[in-house]
Amino acid sequence: MFIKQYPKIFLKKKTRLPKLFKQEEKREPTEGTEELQPQQPDDSHNIAIHVKKARGGPTLYEPKKFEEKLVEFLDILKKLPIYRTLREHRTVWKMLKTIPDLTSQLTDEHLKTLSRSVISETWVKGSTVVGNDGFYIILKGSARPQTKAYKDLIDENESTSSFIPQSFQGFVSNEDFKNILAEMHTPSCDPMLRQWSTFGTLEVTAQTESDTKEYSVITEEDCEILKIPAKDYVRLKSENIKLENKEKMKLIHKCPYYEEWPTLSICELVALIKWKKFPPGYVIVESGKIISFVAYINSGYCNIYRNIVGLMKLQPKKVKKNQKLVCMGKLNEKESFGEISVLLQVPFTCTIVTGKEVEMAIIEDKDLFELDPVTKQLMLHTAKPTFGHLKDEDVKNVYLEREQKKEWKNFKDKTIKNSLYYNGIIPGFGKWDHCWTSIPRNLKDTLISY
């Protein structure tokens, strides 16, 4: 009796059954009660709502129409940039992203930076607006250009100034957009600049009479015009160039051959550098050829191969000579190659192939030849041939060692397979069909004993 009662003194784990969810039946209202409706906010004391209803305008809870968004956009632009909030800066940036003349020639990051300094100018009817000091967008009103065509804000290609942004279709409702189309629809020969038309340039131009006339317009009515100052874009470009040159100088200075170079000589190389990317498995230079540039690896790595003539068995008593590539090492990040081959016009003794996507800073041979003699001699003095220490005997030894390892592996695999088959074990069939992530210890000991 004691033995039977003894297990009851221990706490038992309670079994938890899965929870059953009951669908609550919807109560039908009785005849004497009315179904409760969701409460709307009490606006009985909000005078703004009553004024808008009296004037036929939308309430506070309706989505903003395009005209309201434009009014809000103009109010933001009338503020000085330093007094705008983060939300207002973001609103200006989103509006500028809908203008194709800006998005087609400026990156999103540059446009976001420039949107923080744009301003709005008010011009009365008959005023002459000279657009050679910035890029202008007509927000209200119309103007007539003094010339028939304008240049792009950056490039020298001609482009039509009057247009409707395509991305406004997602920004405005369909009804509003049709009204805007009806108001702005003009023949293609009409040179009139209307709402959302652009003129001017972001490049600083000379103050000549021809350039002034080329970028000038005359307002046909009172206009609100957005201006992106050209000096802000020039300052943005110069800052980007400084950051890029700093990155190039840091890359060259970390390469082994250039650690003791003076800063002045490195600056001469920085001015000639261009960025370039290569996909995985791309042959940069083959053995026996002269490379056309000097490269500095910023990211990724390259494999170094040497050619060797090997023997391939065709039949038990016949062999065939075959040229093979033997991997002798790698070129990793912050390493350079090609200096000796370009300056001395010496063919490469190895083949360089990218291991994965590689980003390099390169200097083309035509630019390298234009360097001053002192810099070229300094480069010849510090640089060395890529894997120039390797001899044919070293390549043969590496090739023979790898071939022996390959033959030994094939021999082991064949021997193990025959031994298993002799004992009636065929891996992958019947009860020997296993998916092991690692070999069990007892099987591993058995294979070692064979």
Side-chain angles (χ1 to χ4, degrees):
M1 184 182 296
F2 173 77
I3 294 300
K4 288 181 181 180
Q5 297 294 330
Y6 180 71
K8 295 182 180 180
I9 67 174
F10 298 104
L11 290 175
K12 294 183 179 180
K13 188 176 181 181
K14 295 181 180 180
T15 57
R16 299 183 62 181
L17 298 176
K19 187 176 180 181
L20 297 177
F21 294 93
K22 295 182 179 180
Q23 294 184 354
E24 296 183 1
E25 297 180 357
K26 187 176 181 181
R27 296 182 179 179
E28 296 182 359
T30 60
E31 296 180 357
T33 60
E34 295 181 356
E35 188 175 355
L36 294 176
Q37 298 291 338
Q39 294 183 356
Q40 296 290 340
D42 186 13
D43 298 325
S44 58
H45 303 288
N46 195 335
I47 300 175
I49 293 177
H50 295 289
V51 172
K52 286 194 173 185
K53 286 182 179 179
R55 296 179 179 177
T59 63
L60 294 177
Y61 304 104
E62 293 182 8
K64 292 182 180 179
K65 293 185 179 180
F66 172 69
E67 290 80 5
E68 293 183 354
K69 291 182 179 180
L70 181 59
V71 171
E72 181 186 4
F73 182 54
L74 291 173
D75 292 340
I76 294 173
L77 292 177
K78 287 178 182 178
K79 295 181 182 180
L80 290 175
I82 58 174
Y83 295 123
R84 296 174 193 163
T85 62
L86 291 176
R87 190 190 68 82
E88 291 173 341
H89 279 300
R90 188 171 182 81
T91 302
V92 174
W93 175 45
K94 285 184 177 180
M95 288 290 286
L96 293 181
K97 286 202 299 182
T98 61
I99 301 175
D101 268 12
L102 291 174
T103 56
S104 62
Q105 303 182 66
L106 291 174
T107 62
D108 198 19
E109 185 180 353
H110 289 177
L111 190 60
K112 186 175 183 180
T113 305
L114 292 174
S115 67
R116 297 169 185 163
S117 60
V118 296
I119 55 176
S120 176
E121 298 179 348
T122 304
W123 296 85
V124 297
K125 181 180 179 180
S127 302
T128 301
V129 184
V130 182
N132 60 352
D133 62 339
F135 188 69
Y136 293 81
I137 304 166
I138 298 177
L139 303 178
K140 283 180 63 177
S142 60
R144 185 177 299 276
Q146 292 189 359
T147 55
K148 293 184 179 180
Y150 283 93
K151 297 179 181 178
D152 286 346
L153 57 151
I154 297 175
D155 300 327
E156 297 295 326
N157 303 323
E158 291 185 355
S159 65
T160 307
S161 295
S162 183
F163 63 91
I164 304 172
Q166 298 176 357
S167 52
F168 267 11
Q169 297 183 18
F171 192 80
V172 201
S173 62
N174 293 333
E175 185 179 353
D176 294 336
F177 190 71
K178 289 178 182 177
N179 295 334
I180 295 170
L181 284 176
E183 294 175 3
M184 297 177 61
H185 180 69
T186 54
S188 58
C189 59
D190 186 9
M192 187 70 70
L193 303 181
R194 303 187 185 278
Q195 192 180 30
W196 305 113
S197 300
T198 60
F199 64 94
T201 178
L202 284 179
E203 295 289 346
V204 178
T205 59
Q207 299 292 336
T208 60
E209 185 178 354
S210 59
D211 288 338
T212 301
K213 187 176 180 181
E214 182 180 9
Y215 294 109
S216 299
V217 299
I218 299 174
T219 56
E220 295 291 324
E221 52 184 314
D222 294 346
C223 295
E224 287 287 340
I225 302 177
L226 181 145
K227 178 184 177 182
I228 303 177
K231 61 180 181 180
D232 292 344
Y233 178 70
V234 172
R235 184 175 68 251
L236 176 64
K237 275 204 314 184
S238 63
E239 290 176 358
N240 289 338
I241 291 173
K242 287 180 181 178
L243 291 175
E244 189 175 353
N245 289 341
K246 187 177 180 181
E247 184 180 355
K248 292 176 182 177
M249 184 176 294
K250 186 178 180 181
L251 172 62
I252 295 178
H253 199 68
K254 284 189 175 182
C255 292
Y257 302 149
Y258 301 86
E259 290 178 350
E260 298 181 359
W261 269 46
T263 305
L264 185 61
S265 300
I266 294 180
C267 289
E268 293 183 16
L269 300 181
V270 167
L272 306 175
I273 278 181
K274 300 175 183 176
W275 293 107
K276 197 168 184 180
K277 288 185 178 181
F278 297 93
Y282 185 85
V283 180
I284 296 177
V285 62
E286 294 182 0
S287 178
K289 294 185 179 180
I290 300 174
I291 195 170
S292 61
F293 56 84
V294 176
Y296 306 89
I297 301 176
N298 186 40
S299 63
Y301 67 91
C302 296
N303 293 321
I304 305 297
Y305 295 92
R306 286 286 298 266
N307 293 334
I308 190 171
V309 178
L311 299 178
M312 184 175 64
K313 291 182 180 180
L314 297 177
Q315 293 179 4
K317 294 184 179 181
K318 289 186 179 181
V319 292
K320 179 184 176 181
K321 289 185 178 180
N322 189 18
Q323 198 161 10
K324 296 185 178 182
L325 293 175
V326 182
C327 184
M328 301 299 297
K330 290 183 180 180
L331 286 172
N332 297 312
E333 296 180 4
K334 308 299 182 292
E335 289 187 349
S336 63
F337 62 90
E339 296 92 343
I340 303 297
S341 179
V342 172
L343 292 176
L344 299 181
Q345 292 295 292
V346 178
F348 252 78
T349 58
C350 56
T351 301
I352 301 180
V353 182
T354 57
K356 60 179 182 179
E357 187 179 37
V358 178
E359 184 183 24
M360 297 182 183
I362 66 170
I363 302 177
E364 297 181 355
D365 50 1
K366 60 181 181 180
D367 297 328
L368 204 62
F369 292 143
E370 295 178 358
L371 287 173
D372 60 279
V374 177
T375 306
K376 288 192 285 188
Q377 287 296 326
L378 181 61
M379 185 177 290
L380 288 173
H381 181 70
T382 55
K384 296 179 182 178
T386 306
F387 280 74
H389 62 280
L390 293 176
K391 298 179 182 178
D392 294 339
E393 192 68 26
D394 300 331
V395 180
K396 289 180 181 179
N397 292 336
V398 173
Y399 174 72
L400 290 174
E401 183 180 353
R402 291 181 182 176
E403 287 296 318
Q404 288 175 356
K405 287 183 179 179
K406 186 178 178 180
E407 289 181 1
W408 174 240
K409 185 178 181 302
N410 292 336
F411 174 75
K412 286 194 299 183
D413 294 343
K414 187 177 179 181
T415 304
I416 292 173
K417 186 177 179 181
N418 293 336
S419 301
L420 293 174
Y421 184 77
Y422 179 78
N423 288 277
I425 300 174
I426 304 177
F429 293 94
K431 63 179 181 179
W432 309 109
D433 187 10
H434 302 289
C435 296
W436 289 329
T437 56
S438 60
I439 300 176
R441 186 178 182 85
N442 55 354
L443 183 58
K444 189 175 182 181
D445 296 340
T446 305
L447 295 178
I448 291 173
S449 65
Y450 277 113

